[in-house]
Amino acid sequence: MQVPFTRPYLAGNELLYIEDVLTSVCQGGHISGDGKYSRMVHETIEKTFGARKALLTTSGTTSLELATQLLDLKFGDEVIVPSYTFSSTVNPVVLAGARPVFADICPDTLNIDPDEIRRKITKKTRAIFPVHYGGVSCAMDEIMEISADHKLSVVEDAAQAVNARYRGRYLGTIGDFGCYSFHETKNYTCGEGGALLINSEDPEILERAEVLREKGTNRNKFDRGEVDKYTWVDIGSSYLPSDILAAVLYAQLEKLDEIQKMRMEIWDTYNRAFKPFEERGMIRLPVVPRYAEHNAHLFYIIFRDEMTRDLVMSRLKSSGIRAVFHYVPLHSSPMGLKMGSRKKDLPVTEEMSSRLLRFPIYAGMEHEILEYIVQKTISILKELE
Ligand SMILES: Cc1ncc(COP(=O)(O)O)c(C=O)c1O
């Protein structure tokens, strides 16, 4: 049996809505960005999650780029980021000429440690980019308090955290900006896609976001009939996905809770099955603080050391099960080292990333497959005990 690590789930109406977009062309419809389905997705994200404004982008990466451009960072500014994340959290900071300052993570949630943020603040700090790892919320009250005390912006990297909450509030709607990913590895997908959530009350920020997203033009204003022609007004890029992709995403968002429930059942099954090994001190399972309602984006086990993790990974692989490690910490990556970080700078990050193994999790996973993974893992764990 071959078990993939992840597999995109089709919610049902994707083809119907794609066909609708394509046939609408004959009646004057559009397949470019900001068509009917893009508008419906924007409305769904705003109503369901409570974002003041949502704007679809071509990826989680470009939503982070757009958020960063809206911060107007200058050369020498500093942004505090976890190192235990994907390069997309940090690339926009570097592209803006600013300096990412890597902070260590908490050993329980593997999210950025608020005490580390406090330690790393300097006169040059302008923003904090918390990443909600695996859809489990960062300690947002503390992070928002720090940002208020030091007048820093907060960009939530909620790429993995769509439909997850912190004390009842949806992730991505708490900081100044929230960034979602709809890549095929995420809970809700259109292949490649993302969204920028703008939570500020400032109308100028919203207007600027629309302009930067539309190649630096005021085209959105023109489309709404607010100006009689559109023109170049700022430095921007093209961040709109085609309405064909928005149609796919709309079909996924229609099944928001159903998809989450399917993932949650898998997450709970793993958690229940492996709990006895945690109780005997052999492994550690994901920690979900009381303030967090996660979205079952990831399930992982932390082993006692890297050697045991690698051994379990290769034993699962020989049984056809793809279980995988996660981020190579950015501060110790070739690019991080080039930028002046040193390998031993962030001990918790180094330690946790070397011992973590992620298990297959995707909506629509067949019951027999789940049972096969659980039984194989239990027998490997028993042998290692
Ligand atoms: C934490 C985090 N941020 C950003 C991204 C980038 O998202 P995308 O692949 O949609 O560009 C990812 C993707 O895996 C991610 O895990």
Side-chain angles (χ1 to χ4, degrees):
M1 190 178 310
Q2 290 300 313
V3 183
F5 173 67
T6 178
R7 188 176 73 194
Y9 177 75
L10 297 182
N13 283 334
E14 286 87 350
L15 282 175
L16 189 72
Y17 296 159
I18 290 174
E19 196 183 352
D20 185 32
V21 178
L22 295 178
T23 52
S24 78
V25 170
C26 309
Q27 291 101 45
H30 295 285
I31 55 172
S32 55
D34 280 352
K36 176 172 104 178
Y37 284 95
S38 301
R39 285 195 294 277
M40 291 194 312
V41 168
H42 290 162
E43 231 180 85
T44 304
I45 294 177
E46 288 158 15
K47 283 206 178 116
T48 313
F49 302 133
R52 184 169 163 262
K53 182 74 196 164
L55 292 172
L56 273 174
T57 58
T58 48
S59 63
T61 304
T62 51
S63 68
L64 283 153
E65 273 176 34
L66 187 49
T68 309
Q69 282 171 31
L70 289 163
L71 299 181
D72 262 337
L73 297 175
K74 290 181 221 37
F75 182 78
D77 284 345
E78 293 177 353
V79 174
I80 300 179
V81 287
S83 160
Y84 190 64
T85 185
F86 195 53
S87 57
S88 297
T89 318
V90 176
N91 269 326
V93 175
V94 182
L95 283 167
R99 193 169 86 85
V101 174
F102 294 113
D104 215 342
I105 49 173
C106 304
D108 53 359
T109 56
L110 314 188
N111 283 330
I112 194 163
D113 179 347
D115 288 334
E116 266 281 284
I117 297 177
R118 285 190 194 92
R119 279 195 283 277
K120 302 252 152 125
I121 288 177
T122 70
K123 282 195 188 111
K124 294 179 184 166
T125 309
R126 291 283 317 281
I128 310 165
F129 284 21
V131 177
H132 305 295
Y133 183 62
V136 175
S137 176
C138 294
M140 288 312 290
D141 280 347
E142 261 186 281
I143 292 173
M144 296 311 289
E145 243 174 71
I146 298 170
S147 79
D149 289 350
H150 296 270
K151 299 195 169 42
L152 308 174
S153 303
V154 174
V155 176
E156 292 178 72
D157 183 337
Q160 304 178 357
V162 180
N163 206 21
R165 291 190 260 196
Y166 173 79
R167 298 195 199 284
R169 290 173 75 185
Y170 284 97
L171 301 184
T173 68
I174 302 167
D176 299 271
F177 300 104
C179 301
Y180 285 170
S181 167
F182 300 114
H183 184 261
E184 76 167 1
T185 51
K186 302 301 187 292
N187 294 20
Y188 310 98
T189 184
C190 54
E192 298 275 0
L196 174 70
L197 275 57
I198 300 163
N199 305 313
S200 159
E201 295 294 325
D202 185 348
E204 273 179 31
I205 292 180
L206 174 56
E207 189 175 315
R208 186 140 186 263
E210 285 185 343
V211 165
L212 300 193
R213 178 171 168 268
E214 261 289 11
K215 302 98 183 162
T217 72
N218 55 353
R219 185 180 177 144
N220 285 137
K221 271 191 160 178
F222 173 74
D223 289 342
R224 289 193 294 267
E226 293 165 22
V227 288
D228 57 6
K229 58 183 182 311
Y230 71 91
T231 183
W232 186 30
V233 293
D234 205 333
I235 303 164
S237 191
S238 183
Y239 291 124
L240 292 74
S242 157
D243 215 46
I244 300 171
L245 287 179
V248 174
L249 186 57
Y250 187 69
Q252 300 260 311
L253 296 180
E254 276 184 331
K255 298 282 165 65
L256 194 76
D257 290 332
E258 242 173 272
I259 291 174
Q260 181 144 313
K261 189 163 171 272
M262 284 188 267
R263 299 184 73 101
M264 205 61 91
E265 278 167 13
I266 299 164
W267 199 99
D268 288 339
T269 303
Y270 283 143
N271 203 46
R272 252 193 325 272
F274 305 147
K275 198 82 189 163
F277 297 94
E278 184 178 57
E279 283 161 6
R280 297 203 286 277
M282 194 186 168
I283 56 169
R284 215 207 72 197
L285 297 175
V287 173
V288 182
R290 287 163 72 97
Y291 57 64
E293 285 167 75
H294 72 100
N295 62 357
H297 177 63
L298 295 181
F299 188 88
Y300 60 81
I301 290 181
I302 296 185
F303 291 90
R304 63 169 87 97
D305 52 37
E306 185 170 4
M307 220 174 69
T308 315
R309 188 269 309 263
D310 291 350
L311 183 68
V312 175
M313 184 163 63
S314 78
R315 295 285 301 279
L316 287 168
K317 191 174 171 201
S318 49
S319 300
I321 299 166
R322 231 175 98 70
V324 292
F325 52 81
H326 212 174
Y327 307 123
V328 173
L330 297 181
H331 75 282
S332 59
S333 68
M335 188 62 197
L337 296 175
K338 220 188 275 178
M339 291 175 66
S341 299
R342 284 162 311 171
K343 272 205 162 142
K344 299 290 166 208
D345 280 352
L346 305 171
V348 184
T349 300
E350 292 283 332
E351 180 67 24
M352 291 301 167
S353 67
S354 70
R355 291 163 47 196
L356 179 142
L357 188 65
R358 291 179 294 157
F359 281 69
I361 187 163
Y362 47 89
M365 182 190 276
E366 297 77 2
H367 180 73
E368 311 80 70
I369 291 198
L370 178 59
E371 206 37 40
Y372 176 70
I373 304 168
V374 166
Q375 290 314 324
K376 280 282 171 214
T377 309
I378 287 179
S379 74
I380 297 168
L381 292 176
K382 278 187 174 157
E383 275 176 49
L384 292 174
E385 230 174 356

